[in-house]
Amino acid sequence: MLGRTYHVKPRGLCRGAALTLVFASVLVTAAATGSLPREDGTGTEINARSVSSALGSVDREEIADAIAEAEAAGKSGTDAAEEVVSRSGDRWGAVYDEREYEEFEQALDGSYTGVGISARRSARGEVTVSGVQPGGPADRAGVRKGDLLRTVDGRTVGRRPVAEVVALLRGDRTKAAEGSTVVLGLSRGSRSWTTTLRRARLSVDPVSVRRLGRSPSSAVLIKVAAFTKGSGTEVRDAVDGAPGDAGILLDLRANAGGLVSEAVTASSAFLDGGLVATYDVHGEERALYAEPGGDTGRPLVVLVDGGTMSAAELLTGALQDRGRAVTVGSRTYGKGAVQMPSKLPGGSVAELTVGHYRTPAGRSVEGSGITPDVGAGPEAQERGETVLSGLGGGS
């Protein structure tokens, strides 16, 4: 079940952070996961019965008993299940209630409940607004790119990890619904103010394309924010539509992953078939392959950073190992876990790690990430354009 490698929930972060990290630092109020039944990345459908076996070393009955005991005592069955999963030692294990899982399903189609801003940590350590979705609540309230985010619902952002800021923005399970409000403290230059935003159902295109110059040979920038449904085909279409002599700058920075099947589809835009990754599920080795017919001659540079995770790392590793792209930026996050969801009594869903994937050269991503060919920080795009020009990919 390789479509489940993106959500991030390091121990110590609240559930809300895990829900939003598919768009971490990109769309800070988004959430995404997979639905049941799903495909395992090779086209084989996994039904609910086979998915239930994904609980691995945690006994399903143990979780069911914990849920029943908690509910009999008037407590949350989901919280009880989460405690059992937490004790399993699975770094990425998580439990979601029905509403949270529904949010995941919607986000896979590129929709989410939020206020329409993206954010990232600046070089000075401040959380800044890096983008505002046109027509969204933040846009209507006058929030602009470059504004500093100081507080969320009265809580100081300070040096909190971006994942925690994401969790605050999204709210807990009772506050994150469409129509709920969040109060942001912002500053712009010498001006500081607070604004109350009402969360709304928003849609976002995870793939954006633009030319980097005006000449016919100008390079094309393809930015992939997340691998949601249809994103792989969008990447392929963008490459097919680019001028024949134009290079491609594939920007995977702050891409927290998504559906691995979409990342494999995207790889098919640049590879003429062949291995993309290997992975194991409960020790059984499997492989993912690109479709034949991709553009193997066009100059390609891939931009990555510490926010490049999971499915985005799988794509990066494939293009790097097979000599198809020059990678530029900073070391990626290092999440190479394969996860499967399992429905629990009462409608909640648990997911645990069942294996790990490796790049075509056999490198493990988990914990180590991918080191780019050319190191770069905030100037990564400029450096990537320079590298692309040197490869003959235009300017």
Side-chain angles (χ1 to χ4, degrees), residues 27-87:
L27 291 170
V28 297
T29 51
T33 191
S35 57
L36 299 175
R38 295 287 301 284
E39 292 184 348
D40 67 357
T42 63
T44 302
E45 185 175 78
I46 297 178
N47 59 34
R49 178 175 298 177
S50 64
V51 166
S52 294
S53 68
L55 289 174
S57 60
V58 177
D59 187 278
R60 194 173 193 281
E61 294 303 317
E62 179 184 357
I63 294 181
D65 290 345
I67 291 174
E69 183 178 343
E71 292 179 344
K75 299 179 181 179
S76 168
T78 299
D79 287 347
E82 186 176 51
E83 182 178 351
V84 173
V85 173
S86 179
R87 289 200 306 265

Side-chain angles (χ1 to χ4, degrees), residues 169-180:
L169 282 161
R170 186 183 187 279
D172 62 26
R173 71 181 69 174
T174 63
K175 297 179 180 179
E178 182 177 358
S180 62

